[in-house]
Amino acid sequence: MDCFPGLPPFPEDVVTHPLVVVDYLKVKAGDEEEIDKLYGAATGLGFWYLKNHGIDEANEVFVIGAETMALPLEEKMKYAESGGEKVFGYKAAGVCVIDEKGNTDIIEMLNVAKDDVVAWPQQVHQDYPRPATDKMDNILKPFVQKTVEVNHVLLDALSVKLGLPKDALSRRHRLDASSTCGVRCIKTPPEPEGWSEEKALFAAHSDYGSITFLHNRLGGMQVLAPGTKQWQYVKPLPGHAILNVGDSLNLLSGGLLRSNLHRVVPPPGEQFSHERWTVGYFMRPENDVPLNALVDESPLIAEAVAKNPERNFITNETAREWSIRRFNNIRATNYKGKENWKAGGGTENYKAVREAVDASVGATVPVNA
Ligand SMILES: O=C(O)CCC(=O)C(=O)O
Ligand SMILES: [Fe+2]
């Protein structure tokens, strides 16, 4: 039950951060206890496991990722993102900066826009490599539709707990409205020079969007839990997706829903020498949604904002502007030094969050390097 076929197990001697397990079917059925659990996780750590979500297509999305990354670089580059407004497609290794010193990443990604999947065979943004287009109809469409359906159930449950009208969040995340939502496949090669804290594969960050829905198989993702200094691994479990709240929901909810810091380091133990693959769906608000706390729709949110005057919950930036700005800020071609790197962040920029990162120490990682 604890193992993924063909992959070494997550080592038993590595400390992990336990996540609350939320049962999707119970939330869907309106089970109050389960909804309380979901709300507790979303306002506490901001991360939770989700079981019984039924999104079996995820396995095939891993195959799309593997087939795409196996193509010659020249072929992949035909579909490359190129910065500016062009944020979807293939992202080559080295395109992004991973820390304030300007070091670049070793990660390849394929980002397929939700808008393109839903409109297929019409194109809204761009074309994609064959492994993705061949499976648009039978894999990517149901993958996206089901994920959005599950997320809507979660958003409706969270809305009610936040004192909002039930559809206040889901109506800002409609399947057929333009947004920067997307399917993401990530390939991380084994790190040849061994693990070091200097070399987080994916730097400490909070996600820009609303809900990140990850199907992880190997360890590597770590969270910095509130009030702690030690980064801790989240252990992937078969049949359980890992979900987290992003900055957009944090802002809309006046900070009540937590968009927690996380990062990716090489997988621990025997997993270390394996390629690491992630499949995820990144749900973000519709393009024209202003990222301002919904104070007029919920007294609870209005109260939370009033109690936290140091933070700005009225960005007056739209969800699209917010995503595009943050996407571009981490591109190496836009790197202009430490201060500029910091200025482009999201909630990572809040003083308390930055202080937590600066004070943090890495997990003790027994690696086989
Ligand atoms: O690969 C992972 O487990 C997490 C990736 C991540 O944090 C992201 O894509 O925002
Ligand atoms: Fe992330």
Side-chain angles (χ1 to χ4, degrees):
M1 146 71 186
D2 239 19
C3 264
F4 290 86
L7 292 172
F10 191 95
E12 278 172 18
D13 57 351
V14 169
V15 177
T16 57
H17 193 86
L19 303 187
V20 168
V21 179
V22 175
D23 185 334
Y24 170 65
L25 292 177
K26 288 189 180 168
V27 174
K28 193 173 171 210
D31 181 322
E32 285 302 330
E33 216 175 293
E34 206 64 16
I35 292 172
D36 284 349
K37 234 198 237 181
L38 167 67
Y39 189 67
T43 51
L45 179 63
F47 275 74
W48 62 94
Y49 291 118
L50 190 72
K51 68 175 184 183
N52 291 329
H53 52 69
I55 306 168
D56 299 334
E57 289 78 5
N59 292 326
E60 287 299 318
V61 183
F62 277 96
V63 177
I64 294 175
E67 288 176 359
T68 299
M69 299 316 170
L71 295 170
L73 183 61
E74 196 190 338
E75 176 65 15
K76 292 184 276 195
M77 289 306 287
K78 290 183 192 160
Y79 308 95
E81 52 71 54
S82 54
E85 297 284 311
K86 205 164 174 304
V87 297
F88 296 107
Y90 171 70
K91 186 206 81 69
V95 164
C96 292
V97 170
I98 52 163
D99 59 26
E100 60 186 35
K101 292 181 202 140
N103 288 315
T104 51
D105 73 316
I106 58 167
I107 291 173
E108 286 182 276
M109 277 195 210
L110 176 69
N111 287 300
V112 183
K114 180 271 295 169
D115 295 348
D116 284 321
V117 176
V118 171
W120 178 261
Q122 271 159 31
Q123 236 178 62
V124 178
H125 300 285
Q126 68 166 84
D127 198 8
Y128 297 91
R130 276 291 292 275
T133 52
D134 280 353
K135 290 185 178 157
M136 279 284 189
D137 274 325
N138 60 347
I139 302 298
L140 288 174
K141 256 191 196 175
F143 176 78
V144 167
Q145 282 163 347
K146 283 190 187 177
T147 307
V148 171
E149 195 181 311
V150 169
N151 280 347
H152 279 172
V153 168
L154 303 180
L155 288 177
D156 287 351
L158 291 173
S159 282
V160 174
K161 297 298 286 182
L162 287 166
L164 290 164
K166 186 178 176 193
D167 69 344
L169 294 174
S170 54
R171 74 179 179 81
R172 290 173 162 89
H173 297 85
R174 289 166 300 171
L175 179 67
D176 52 2
S178 308
S179 71
T180 55
C181 300
V183 179
R184 176 178 282 185
C185 305
I186 311 176
K187 175 189 173 185
T188 315
E191 172 52 70
E193 286 161 41
W195 185 81
S196 101
E197 269 179 63
E198 289 286 289
K199 261 200 206 154
L201 302 175
F202 223 116
H205 67 282
S206 52
D207 291 343
Y208 350 131
S210 295
I211 294 184
T212 301
F213 203 119
L214 296 173
H215 302 268
N216 276 0
R217 292 173 172 175
L218 285 189
M221 205 207 7
Q222 296 183 324
V223 292
L224 187 64
T228 69
K229 289 191 170 172
Q230 184 79 41
W231 286 95
Q232 287 179 324
Y233 283 97
V234 171
K235 179 178 170 174
L237 296 177
H240 293 60
I242 297 169
L243 274 71
N244 68 277
V245 169
D247 289 351
S248 302
L249 268 194
N250 174 264
L251 286 162
L252 293 173
S253 67
L256 289 171
L257 302 183
R258 186 176 175 88
S259 129
N260 198 74
L261 284 169
H262 55 287
R263 67 177 190 176
V264 180
V265 300
E270 277 176 71
Q271 298 189 337
F272 180 79
S273 53
H274 284 250
E275 275 174 2
R276 182 175 186 275
W277 292 88
T278 292
V279 161
Y281 184 77
F282 288 70
M283 178 183 250
R284 302 177 178 130
E286 297 172 17
N287 282 341
D288 55 4
V289 170
L291 293 186
N292 299 335
L294 302 174
V295 288
D296 296 336
E297 293 181 56
S298 156
L300 199 62
I301 293 178
E303 191 195 344
V305 169
K307 274 197 195 147
N308 198 352
E310 314 91 73
R311 264 200 64 178
N312 174 26
F313 291 105
I314 310 294
T315 69
N316 283 325
E317 236 178 329
T318 64
R320 179 167 176 82
E321 287 162 349
W322 173 269
S323 289
I324 302 275
R325 174 175 62 77
R326 293 192 57 194
F327 167 84
N328 279 291
N329 187 64
I330 56 168
R331 293 193 96 244
T333 48
N334 296 329
Y335 180 76
K336 295 192 189 69
K338 197 168 164 173
E339 289 316 312
N340 154 270
W341 152 262
K342 286 190 178 180
T347 56
E348 298 97 330
N349 269 348
Y350 292 112
K351 194 165 164 277
V353 178
R354 194 148 286 291
E355 282 169 2
V357 176
D358 290 344
S360 69
V361 288
T364 314
V365 195
V367 290
N368 296 334

